[in-house]
């Protein structure tokens, strides 16, 4: 009788709630659960929900029906069979062993015991969390207390939660568990049941944390917590001794008010809807890679996102992507220059906290900022900041800043609750909307300050199309594991209540920052516009026949197979013809009709702007291009000569391009590149075993020549540095770093004018500084003991080798320019 009444109530509730469930809008995580879960159709499925809720069950039924998954049915005491899915609730699973031994035994207990004693019977257990809205919970209004989703919600409250959040539902499917595996590993079914219940309980806790994040504190509580921290109190006392206690406390409060975010899940939901319309207007889609690996990581770690930084769109693009894929958007460290009305308020409510560019001498601000970051880490909030410190004006990764990373690393290592993972993110664009202003700045124009007026002017981007955006998540660095390897004794020195740093902490953070940048580049996106830019800009006069350009793009795609860790790369399109068809309109490549075949030209300003796309992925072809450069001026070379040349110049390439493999692995990677180039016809092995170029006039030679020119500007800059160093050494002059870097800049600038180069990134000062750092690192340049630098005799040999890679015209021009130099 009771079962009949329960069945009637269930059917009535399903009928009454059907219109609400039908109007529900949901996302599934993963996006295509039927493909991602890889369920065995020959074995039955049992879904487990974290709470008793018919509304969740009805929602799950609709989602499974539309996603091609087995539909759930109410489970009594009968076992599910193939093609039929059961559904159980975690509270019942817990209840089944908590109450075991008493008079009450749950239907679930009977079901699982029957499964355990049925020979060969197995169930695929799929944990599913249904989130109505994305509010992590916050002590604020009565409205939120009633309508925010909660695991403690009763039937009536759950109905109102469904009404309020029915357009923002997330179904999070966990990977299936085999019940038979638990039974086989346990001595009796009851023990297997307890282990399974415990595993599911922790899964649901971690899934909720990854999707919603920790409970939010009111901003006033966060601010007061920062002001009450020991470090801030000490800073206030020191400042108060000079300017008065009340004034110091007021100043500390102003600092934390300036910094602190005002995270609002409702604002994030609103901005997500607005951004969806914006992205659809200016982009043709957002392609994401590595999100499933990230989802698994986020369930067991606190996540800190460190993306590349090429556009103001980066701030919201990553948060939008994470929200769309069922992960909690992070708190974002944003430059104080973005704190203007109305953007500043909006970003603050989307999780942005503001940081000044420099605050080294401001003890109060530094203490407040450290305490705020420490609070975010201790409470387990996801964070995001840009290690480069600013947007790249050239498309290349910038040398990372380590100040904020050091704060994050110290706070993360001092807390012992969860491991903290640094996640590299490569944000790629077919076209960056600020690229015009970047090249003006590189030519000496003053950077325009961000303002409401500038925001209104920027609305012109809505009239253009910028191709696709790409988000690729790379291989994470778990801070605690990295410290175990590179920072001995950190567990004893970095205690939760201490203030001591282990010896070598700063050097370890610098190595950590560089390694992270390499992992960003290891997760590069070889997009269509970037591939077309690499091929076309390396062609003479930036013009090529269409069929030749297609063939060259095909060779570049083939060379990606020689890239170590190529499974981390994102290559959106592998058909060379489709790559070119996509790139032509986005990059505004001009087509010149001709009876013998159309020509494609990157003319004028559009050709200059394409260098930005080339620079984003140029590192992927650095070593094959170096091998081609070694053979440009020689008829043939032995393999050992090629390896020797690669070893000599690889440190420079590694510094400029943040290449991922250490110098010790250079030979192995060069071997992979040689094998690939031989297989594709870009190199030919002679009868004596030496390697030589393809036959002049062949299609393969055209692609080989383009590959050799791909690194032309890089090799010229390297030659400038070592030639100037050799000249300084022969002249016996004291080498002052600032003057020397300026001389490199002046030489490159003059050469750019004489060779007709329009891209100002050719004489970027940061690149010359990086080359000099590399020479210091390998010991070719050292300190003279009087504040200057001195180069040893090896620089002469390096200069000689560098010149051998250049064309006759370039060598002649460099020597002429050096003869006109006026030493300072």
């Amino acid at each position: 009788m009771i079962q009949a009444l329960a069945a009637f109530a269930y059917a009535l509730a399903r009928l009454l709630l059907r219109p609400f469930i039908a109007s529900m809008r949901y996302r599934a995580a993963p996006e295509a659960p039927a493909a991602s879960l890889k369920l065995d159709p020959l074995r039955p499925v049992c879904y487990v929900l974290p709470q008793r809720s018919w509304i969740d069950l009805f929602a799950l039924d609709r989602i499974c029906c539309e996603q091609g998954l087995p539909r759930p049915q109410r489970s009594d005491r009968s076992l599910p069979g193939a093609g039929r899915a059961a559904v159980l609730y975690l509270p019942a699973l817990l209840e089944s062993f908590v109450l075991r031994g008493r008079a009450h035994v749950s239907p679930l207990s009977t079901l699982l015991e029957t499964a355990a004693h049925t020979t060969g019977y197995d169930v695929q257990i799929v944990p599913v969390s249904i989130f109505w809205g994305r509010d992590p919970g916050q002590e604020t209004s009565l409205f939120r207390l009633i309508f925010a989703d909660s695991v403690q919600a009763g039937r009536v409250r759950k109905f109102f939660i469904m009404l309020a959040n029915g357009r923002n539902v997330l179904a999070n499917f966990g990977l299936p568990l085999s019940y038979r595996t638990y039974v086989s590993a346990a001595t009796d079914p009851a023990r297997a049941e307890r282990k399974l219940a415990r595993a599911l309980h922790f899964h649901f806790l971690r899934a909720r944390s990854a999707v919603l994040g920790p409970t939010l504190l009111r901003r006033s509580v966060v601010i007061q917590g920062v002001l009450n921290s020991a470090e801030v109190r000490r800073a206030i006392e020191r400042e108060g001794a000079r300017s008065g206690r009340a004034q110091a406390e007021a100043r500390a409060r102003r600092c934390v008010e300036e910094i602190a975010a005002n995270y609002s899940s409702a604002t994030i939901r609103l901005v997500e809807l607005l951004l969806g319309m914006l992205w659809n207007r200016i982009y043709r889609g957002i392609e994401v890679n590595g999100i499933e690996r990230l989802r698994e990581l986020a369930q067991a770690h606190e996540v800190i996102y460190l993306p590349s930084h090429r556009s103001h769109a980066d701030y919201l693009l990553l948060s939008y992507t994470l929200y769309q894929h069922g992960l909690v958007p992070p708190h974002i460290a944003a430059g104080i220059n973005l704190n203007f009305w109305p953007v500043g308020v909006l970003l603050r409510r989307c999780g942005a906290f503001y940081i000044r560019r420099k605050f080294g001498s401001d003890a109060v601000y530094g203490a407040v900022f450290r305490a705020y970051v420490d609070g975010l880490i201790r409470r387990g909030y996801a964070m995001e900041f840009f290690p480069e410190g600013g947007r790249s004006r050239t498309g290349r990764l910038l040398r990372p800043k380590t100040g904020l990373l050091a704060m994050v690393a110290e706070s993360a290592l001092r807390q012992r609750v969860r491991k903290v993972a640094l996640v590299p993110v490569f944000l790629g664009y077919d076209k960056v909307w600020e690229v015009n202003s970047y090249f003006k700045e590189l030519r000496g124009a003053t950077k325009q300050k961000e303002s409401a007026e500038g925001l209104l002017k920027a609305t012109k981007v809505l009239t253009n199309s910028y191709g696709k955006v790409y988000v690729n998540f790379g291989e994470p660095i778990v801070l605690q594991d990295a410290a175990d390897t590179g920072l001995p004794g950190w567990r004893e020195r970095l205690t939760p209540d201490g203030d001591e740093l282990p010896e070598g902490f700063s050097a370890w953070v610098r190595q950590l920052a560089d390694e992270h940048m390499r992992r960003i580049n290891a997760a590069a996106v070889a997009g269509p516009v970037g591939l077309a830019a690499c091929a076309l800009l390396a062609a003479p006069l930036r013009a090529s026949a269409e069929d030749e350009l297609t063939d060259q793009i095909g060779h570049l795609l083939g060379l990606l197979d020689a890239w170590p860790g190529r499974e981390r790369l994102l290559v959106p399109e592998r058909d060379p013809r489709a790559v070119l068809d996509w790139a032509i309109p986005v990059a505004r490549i001009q087509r010149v009709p001709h009876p013998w075949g159309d020509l494609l030209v990157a003319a004028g300003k559009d050709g200059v702007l394409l260098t930005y796309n080339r620079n984003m992925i140029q590192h992927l072809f650095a070593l094959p291009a170096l091998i081609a450069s070694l053979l440009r001026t020689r008829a043939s070379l032995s393999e050992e000569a090629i390896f020797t040349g690669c070893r000599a110049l690889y440190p420079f390439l590694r510094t400029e391009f943040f290449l991922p493999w250490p110098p010790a692995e250079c030979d192995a990677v060069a071997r992979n590149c040689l094998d690939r180039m031989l297989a594709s016809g870009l190199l030919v092995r002679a009868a004596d075993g030496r390697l030589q170029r393809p036959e002049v006039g062949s299609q393969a030679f055209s692609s080989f020549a383009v590959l050799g020119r791909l690194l032309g500007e890089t090799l010229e800059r390297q030659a400038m540095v070592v030639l100037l160093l050799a000249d300084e050494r022969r002249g016996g002059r004291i080498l002052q770093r600032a003057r020397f870097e300026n001389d490199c800049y002046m030489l490159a600038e003059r050469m750019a004018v004489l060779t007709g180069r329009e891209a100002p990134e050719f004489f970027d000062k940061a690149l010359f500084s990086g080359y000099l750092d590399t020479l210091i690192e390998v010991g070719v340049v050292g300190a003279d003991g009087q504040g200057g630098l001195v180069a040893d005799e090896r620089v002469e040999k390096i200069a000689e080798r560098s010149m051998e890679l250049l064309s006759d015209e370039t060598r002649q021009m460099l020597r002429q320019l050096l003869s006109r130099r006026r030493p300072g």
Side-chain angles (χ1 to χ4, degrees), residues 246-266:
Q247 187 174 347
E249 287 182 347
R251 186 163 177 275
R253 181 170 289 276
R254 287 195 302 271
C255 288
V256 71
E257 290 276 4
E258 176 188 294
I259 293 167
N262 190 19
Y263 198 105
S264 165
S265 56

Side-chain angles (χ1 to χ4, degrees), residues 550-570:
T550 304
D551 187 65
Q552 290 154 11
I553 291 172
H555 280 296
L556 292 178
L557 286 166
L559 287 170
L560 293 177
D561 293 333
W563 177 263
R566 53 189 172 273
E567 66 278 356
R568 292 279 182 180
L569 296 178
L570 173 58

Side-chain angles (χ1 to χ4, degrees), residues 293-340:
R293 294 191 300 266
L294 176 62
R295 197 187 313 280
E296 292 179 25
L297 181 80
Q299 293 192 15
H301 298 77
E302 185 176 339
V303 178
I304 313 291
Y305 300 96
L306 278 73
S308 58
H309 196 16
R310 296 187 170 96
S311 171
H312 278 318
D314 299 340
Y315 290 101
L316 294 174
L317 175 63
L318 182 57
S319 292
Y320 175 83
T321 300
L322 293 171
Y323 192 91
Q324 285 272 308
H325 288 82
L327 293 170
V328 61
H331 283 67
I332 310 166
I336 194 66
N337 57 307
L338 292 177
N339 190 18
F340 65 90

Side-chain angles (χ1 to χ4, degrees), residues 304-307 387 397 405 422-425 475 477 511-521:
I304 313 291
Y305 300 96
L306 278 73
L397 292 183
L405 178 59
L422 305 180
V423 176
V425 189
E475 183 181 358
I477 299 174
Q511 294 171 2
L512 186 70
D514 287 342
E515 175 61 21
H516 186 86
M517 302 309 286
R518 295 186 192 105
R519 295 195 184 201
I520 291 177
N521 262 355

Side-chain angles (χ1 to χ4, degrees), residues 7-25:
F8 174 76
Y10 176 83
L12 181 62
R14 187 184 187 96
L15 179 65
L16 295 175
L17 293 174
R18 181 174 295 168
F20 302 101
I21 298 299
S23 63
M24 174 186 74
R25 292 183 182 177

